[in-house]
Each structure stands twice: as structure tokens, then as C-alpha cells.
Amino acid sequence: MNPLLAATATELAAKIAAREVSAVEVAQAHLDRIAEVDEKVHAFLHVDTDGALAQARRVDDGEISGPLAGVPLALKDVIVTKGVPTTAGSRILQGWVPPYDATIVERMRAAGIVVLGKTNMDEFAMGSSTEHSAFGPSRNPWDLTRTPGGSGGGSSAAVASYQAPIGIGTDTGGSIRQPAAVTGTVGAKPTYGGVSRYGLIAFSSSLDQAGPCARTVLDAALLHEVIGGHDPRDSTSIAAAVPPVVAAARQADVSGMRIGVVTQFKGDGYQPGVLARFDESVAILEKLGATVEEVSCPHFDYALPAYYLIAPSEASSNLARYDAMRYGLRVGDDGVASAEEVMAATRDAGFGAEVKRRIILGTYALSAGYYDAYYGQAQKVRTLISRDFASAFERVDVLVSPTTPTTAFTLGERVDDPMAMYLADLCTIPSNLYGGPALSLPCGLSDDGLPVGLQVMAPVQADERMYRVAAAVEAALGSDKLLEKAPPL
Ligand code: GLN
């Protein structure tokens, strides 16, 4: 394999800045890698060769510099890109070319990041395996018969298979962290409102958050600082600077920190190898000078059902905009059919089964007569979960748990069993409901030889804490080298 592919984003940027290698050479090496292996992995839905090389030339011409200038990136196809097709994994958006760039895309371009293309995902980010993509699933580079997780499995699979050193995902209930965990990569969900959602195709607006995917904690932090910070075009954006996550990742020191182990996340349904790696990580944190205590968050047990009322309710409203008039697909427009008939035919043909299930569920939960019993009740549970976090963070600086109960599951295994699919996000959903930041990093291999993720959760606007803890564990375990154990593609 070309050594440029195995380099971290930090190393690549340094080599490009020192003119040891050109940004065009780096981009071309990754485009060649995509051409070579993506037939097997199917991480990308669209590769923007011309756009990538043009941006790399701008870096080589000295027009742009910075800590990630010239570094290639895989972008989840739920983020809009001017002039580059954007589907959100759905047939209903097929053929739509956005007329504008998302704020984070503008920021990445200004930082000299080279967007290689758009990555595969579950339709409208609803799923945990990419099997709900209208364009076929992605595959896990560790074992091509298994899923790379979801919904952002494409970005994580691209990073894990050396098709890009960094990527962007979005996380509504775990879609950055769960794919990171099962592909042996790093994924971080920033504090809600910490990264602009302008140009992020909405699934559940009170939960959606974009964030970085990478092979090291430091690379994730560097990307976090590029995309983060206030955006007046997003009304939910926090009017504050990005927390100092890069400095924290470099600090990588946990001495004196108080770590809470969530007691709810273990037991039945957890793979023994996952729990073993988790316990070892906790022991390492203690050895590095942190104090560890068990913390009970009793309402976390109700996070999953609350999420599956709130997220579909918001989705049913957000997805009403796909009316056959404004974007992409239009079916049944024979000049005679009414607008309503065209809309119904288009939505029937354009949405997949999981998206329809969520729209029906959400519409039901919001309907008069059921609103209080379902949506209203779920919002109360959300408040109780936030209180669990608040009282936990009075005692400890961060909370830790396994990221997912099991390692990567096989393609087809859960696709007909929504409940089994939903359980992949058991440990990740509480942070979305609360709004705090959470990160997953690799912490070793389970008995089946597949990667295990450690989740670190921090208080709202204390994103730097999770990077500090994650970087310390990464250094102690050498987990930035874990991907070297994956079989070659
Ligand atoms: N897997 C969860 C769901 O299906 C979370 C998805 C996400 O974070 N976008 O809703």
C-alpha cells in the first residue's frame, strides 16, 4: 500500500506544508485507492475527482494553508455540496444537485481540506448498518460479510479502509460513534449546537449533529476545530468559540480526573469480549491516575423508547418537504394527475420501508389524542435523562461505557428486525437526548477478532474533556495502530 495512505491527517498536512509531497499527489493516491478497493467496500456514492484535484491544486499553489490543508476527506451524503449530487441515501433525492454549500463544507474548503466525494449512509440517516441506503449497503473493511455500522457507515468504512484519512458523519442517535466503534476508528459527536447544521439535511432537528471521523483522536480534534464554532445561519448554533479540543488531544493526560462508569450499560445483550475490553480500558484509566467510580443513570434504560418517539416525530415533520415539487424525484406526473396524486406516488416510490415506518410512527405519536401519551411522555423522559447526566457530572468529569453492545453484525442479520437494529444504539442515544458531546475510540479486539469501541461522554460544551481522556487511552493502548491488524483488502 502507498505509504501516503497509511499516514495520519496530521502527518499528511505536515508533509504537504513542508513540500515533501504535493496535495495533488496525496489526493491522487487516495483517488487511486478508491478505484482499487471501493468496489468491495462501497463507501462512496459519488467521487468528485475534478473537484478534489482542483482544491488540491489551490493548496499546492499556496492559496490556502492551515493544519489540515491538502488532507483528503470523505463526506457523508447528508451534507449538501454546491454542484455535487447529494442524496441522503434516498431515491427521493436522486438527481438533485444542491445550489449551495453547507457551512461546514465552506469551512473545510477554506481550510484547504480536499473533499474526495460523498459517502453511503442509511436513507435520511435512519439505521445502524447502511442497509437502508437506496443504493446498496457498505461493507466493513475488517470482514466484508459484515456491516460497517450506520447510518454513517460509508464515512467510517472509507477511513478504516485507507480511502480517506478523515471523514464527516452526522449523529442523531449514534451514527458517528457506532460506525466508528465497529470499524476500529475514532468518531466524535460534538455538543449539540457546537457545529453548524446549515446544509445538513434534517432528520431529527433537536438531535442532529455533524462531527469528525478519523483514525486518531488528534486528527478528529483538528477536524472538529475546523468545522466547529458559531454560525448565524443555524438558529441552534451556540454563540461561543469551539472548546479547545486540539490542545486537549495533545495534552492526553487524565491524572486527577474523575471518571464515572455507567452501571446501566452492561449485562445481558453485551458481548463478553466487548465488556472485557471495556473493563481493561477502565483499569488503564485508573493506572494513568484517574479516579474511577460507578455512576447509576437510572433513566438511561428508557432512552431508546424515548428516542424512537422523538426522532420519528421530528422526522415526520422534516420529511414533509419531499413533496415531488421542490427536489429530485417526481413520479406519476402525466399532466392529468392531481398534485396530491403525484405527491403520493412520488413518496411511495421514493422512500424506503424504514423511512416510511418512521413517518407513520411519528405521525401517530404526534396525532391529536395520542400526543400527550407518546410524544409528550417521551419529552418528559428526555428531561429525566438530562437530569441523570447533570447529577452524574456533579460527581465525575466524564462518563464512560462501551459504545455498542456488540461488534459488527453480518449483513442481513438485523435488517428485517427493526428492534434488533435499534439496539445497536443503546449506549449512544442518551448523549443525543441530553445534547452533550460523546466520542468513540477503538479499545482493542473482541473474541471474534473485531474492533470494540470505548465511549467517553462529557458535559455540554466540555468537548475538550472527552478528547483529553480519549487521547490518553489511545496512547496507553496504542489503539491508533489497531487498524494494522485488519486483513488487507
Ligand atoms: N441508528 C439510529 C437511528 O436509526 C441513529 C441514527 C443516527 O444517528 N442518524 O435512528
Side-chain angles (χ1 to χ4, degrees), residues 76 125-128 150-151 170-175 203 307-308 358 425:
K76 188 176 180 182
M126 299 173 189
S128 302
S151 63
T170 60
D171 193 310
T172 304
S175 284
F203 161 14
Y307 172 89
Y308 277 99
R358 307 259 183 134
D425 296 300

Side-chain angles (χ1 to χ4, degrees), residues 73-216:
L73 175 136
L75 182 61
K76 188 176 180 182
D77 204 25
V78 74
I79 306 285
V80 306
T81 39
K82 186 176 180 176
V84 179
T86 301
T87 66
S90 182
R91 216 165 281 296
I92 212 156
L93 279 175
Q94 211 169 8
W96 182 60
V97 180
Y100 70 106
D101 275 328
T103 295
I104 64 168
V105 173
E106 279 181 358
R107 288 185 181 173
M108 292 193 295
R109 286 201 209 292
I113 290 173
V114 174
V115 177
L116 295 170
K118 309 297 290 290
T119 55
N120 196 22
M121 54 183 283
D122 289 293
E123 185 174 7
F124 287 105
M126 299 173 189
S128 302
S129 69
T130 72
E131 291 168 292
H132 297 312
S133 166
F135 309 109
S138 301
R139 290 167 184 272
N140 193 317
W142 285 81
D143 174 351
L144 296 171
T145 68
R146 291 175 190 268
T147 90
S151 63
S155 284
S156 295
V159 170
S161 59
Y162 301 96
Q163 300 187 59
I166 50 175
I168 289 284
T170 60
D171 193 310
T172 304
S175 284
I176 294 174
R177 291 162 285 159
Q178 183 258 359
V182 301
T183 58
T185 56
V186 177
K189 180 194 95 71
T191 294
Y192 177 78
V195 172
S196 169
R197 294 186 300 114
Y198 180 77
L200 191 176
I201 295 174
F203 161 14
S204 179
S205 304
S206 77
L207 302 163
D208 297 341
Q209 182 62 69
C213 312
R215 291 195 290 261
T216 71

Side-chain angles (χ1 to χ4, degrees), residues 65-435:
S65 60
L68 289 177
V71 175
L73 175 136
L75 182 61
K76 188 176 180 182
D77 204 25
V78 74
I79 306 285
V80 306
T81 39
K82 186 176 180 176
V84 179
T86 301
T87 66
S90 182
R91 216 165 281 296
I92 212 156
L93 279 175
Q94 211 169 8
W96 182 60
V97 180
Y100 70 106
D101 275 328
T103 295
I104 64 168
V105 173
E106 279 181 358
R107 288 185 181 173
M108 292 193 295
R109 286 201 209 292
I113 290 173
V114 174
V115 177
L116 295 170
K118 309 297 290 290
T119 55
N120 196 22
M121 54 183 283
D122 289 293
E123 185 174 7
F124 287 105
M126 299 173 189
S128 302
S129 69
T130 72
E131 291 168 292
H132 297 312
S133 166
F135 309 109
S138 301
R139 290 167 184 272
N140 193 317
W142 285 81
D143 174 351
L144 296 171
T145 68
R146 291 175 190 268
T147 90
S151 63
S155 284
S156 295
V159 170
S161 59
Y162 301 96
Q163 300 187 59
I166 50 175
I168 289 284
T170 60
D171 193 310
T172 304
S175 284
I176 294 174
R177 291 162 285 159
Q178 183 258 359
V182 301
T183 58
T185 56
V186 177
K189 180 194 95 71
T191 294
Y192 177 78
V195 172
S196 169
R197 294 186 300 114
Y198 180 77
L200 191 176
I201 295 174
F203 161 14
S204 179
S205 304
S206 77
L207 302 163
D208 297 341
Q209 182 62 69
C213 312
R215 291 195 290 261
T216 71
V217 174
L218 178 60
D219 283 359
L222 285 163
L223 181 55
H224 188 146
E225 284 200 4
V226 167
I227 59 174
H230 182 60
D231 177 13
R233 291 184 293 188
D234 174 359
S235 62
T236 61
S237 164
I238 297 171
V242 202
V245 293
V246 172
R250 291 215 164 95
Q251 184 184 3
D253 165 27
V254 292
S255 55
M257 278 184 94
R258 298 164 303 167
I259 314 259
V261 173
V262 180
T263 50
Q264 275 67 25
F265 293 147
K266 57 178 157 206
D268 285 353
Y270 288 79
Q271 209 171 296
V274 168
L275 293 176
R277 296 298 88 74
F278 174 70
D279 290 342
E280 287 161 17
S281 306
V282 172
I284 282 188
L285 284 166
E286 258 183 317
K287 222 176 93 194
L288 293 172
T291 57
V292 175
E293 64 176 282
E294 298 238 325
V295 176
S296 177
C297 298
H299 301 97
F300 282 19
D301 288 338
Y302 307 104
L304 197 71
Y307 172 89
Y308 277 99
L309 290 166
I310 293 168
S313 294
E314 295 183 8
S316 71
S317 166
N318 273 324
L319 270 56
R321 61 169 62 87
Y322 304 104
D323 58 2
M325 305 297 144
R326 287 180 281 188
Y327 315 93
L329 192 71
R330 183 178 296 173
V331 173
D333 184 6
D334 57 4
V336 184
S338 70
E340 246 170 44
E341 284 164 345
V342 173
M343 196 186 306
T346 302
R347 287 170 69 86
D348 186 32
F351 287 138
E354 181 63 24
V355 171
K356 286 177 183 161
R357 175 164 27 242
R358 307 259 183 134
I359 292 173
I360 292 168
L361 203 69
T363 306
Y364 183 78
L366 290 176
S367 59
Y370 293 107
Y371 185 96
D372 288 337
Y374 293 111
Y375 183 73
Q377 199 69 7
Q379 291 291 13
K380 288 181 190 161
V381 173
R382 185 173 187 173
T383 301
L384 294 173
I385 288 165
S386 296
R387 286 190 193 148
D388 277 358
F389 272 109
S391 63
F393 289 136
E394 280 172 16
R395 289 167 53 191
V396 295
D397 300 310
V398 295
L399 291 169
V400 292
S401 77
T403 308
T404 57
T406 69
T407 55
F409 46 92
T410 53
L411 289 158
E413 190 183 320
R414 301 193 189 181
V415 75
D416 297 322
D417 183 351
M419 196 54 208
M421 190 71 89
Y422 299 170
L423 282 169
D425 296 300
L426 193 63
C427 313
T428 47
I429 281 173
S431 292
N432 299 84
L433 291 171
Y434 156 66

